Amino acid sequence: ECRQYTNKSCEECLKNVTCLWCASSGRCVEYPVRRVLPRADLCELRSARWGVCWVNFEALIIAMSVVGGTILIMLGVCCCCCCCKKKSKKQVSEGPDKDEERAAREREKRRVRQEERRAEMKSRHDEIRRKYGTV
């Protein structure tokens, strides 16, 4: 039972993992396992010690919040980076196809224009030959 360690030391109280040390009152009480945090009438958060004597609940909550928030932010950044990389890879893989299609259309346009010019030049040459009777 934890009460037997009241008015002794924090280390003695916390040898039993079910005990909670209240530094302000010097009491050793059962840890309220049904609640995550001890009630304020049992012990203030800044005075409550559990597991180790050098960390109070208030500091533990702040540290856990900072670590949890940092992990969530890092996960969000990693997800964003992965999505951006996938989009850029997809655009890069689509890019050459679009470039190749555009180049093929331009080649086809040039070929058609060249054929039109050849036909036009041939008709001019034929007119000149007819005019001068060399046909």
Side-chain angles (χ1 to χ4, degrees), residues 91-101:
Q91 287 175 350
V92 167
S93 66
E94 288 176 359
D97 293 339
K98 288 182 179 180
D99 290 341
E100 288 175 17
E101 288 176 17

Side-chain angles (χ1 to χ4, degrees), residues 69-118:
T70 304
I71 289 172
L72 287 174
I73 289 171
M74 290 177 71
L75 283 173
V77 168
C78 288
C79 289
C80 288
C81 288
C82 289
C83 290
C84 289
K85 283 183 180 180
K86 283 184 180 179
K87 283 182 182 178
S88 66
K89 283 183 182 179
K90 190 174 182 181
Q91 287 175 350
V92 167
S93 66
E94 288 176 359
D97 293 339
K98 288 182 179 180
D99 290 341
E100 288 175 17
E101 288 176 17
R102 188 178 333 120
R105 283 193 303 268
E106 288 177 10
R107 279 193 303 268
E108 183 63 24
K109 285 179 184 178
R110 275 187 255 137
R111 187 185 63 75
V112 168
R113 274 188 265 137
Q114 189 175 12
E115 286 178 10
E116 288 172 356
R117 277 190 247 131
R118 279 187 188 149

Side-chain angles (χ1 to χ4, degrees), residues 18-102:
T18 62
C19 295
L20 173 78
W21 177 257
C22 187
S24 61
S25 64
R27 293 186 314 162
C28 187
V29 294
E30 293 278 331
Y31 183 81
V33 287
R34 291 196 175 135
R35 297 174 53 108
V36 176
L37 301 174
R39 296 184 322 267
D41 62 336
L42 184 64
C43 190
E44 292 180 345
L45 287 179
R46 69 178 68 119
S47 297
R49 309 286 194 269
W50 181 71
V52 290
C53 292
W54 52 271
V55 177
N56 63 34
F57 263 94
E58 198 171 51
L60 185 64
I61 290 169
I62 292 169
M64 297 282 280
S65 299
V66 168
V67 169
T70 304
I71 289 172
L72 287 174
I73 289 171
M74 290 177 71
L75 283 173
V77 168
C78 288
C79 289
C80 288
C81 288
C82 289
C83 290
C84 289
K85 283 183 180 180
K86 283 184 180 179
K87 283 182 182 178
S88 66
K89 283 183 182 179
K90 190 174 182 181
Q91 287 175 350
V92 167
S93 66
E94 288 176 359
D97 293 339
K98 288 182 179 180
D99 290 341
E100 288 175 17
E101 288 176 17
R102 188 178 333 120

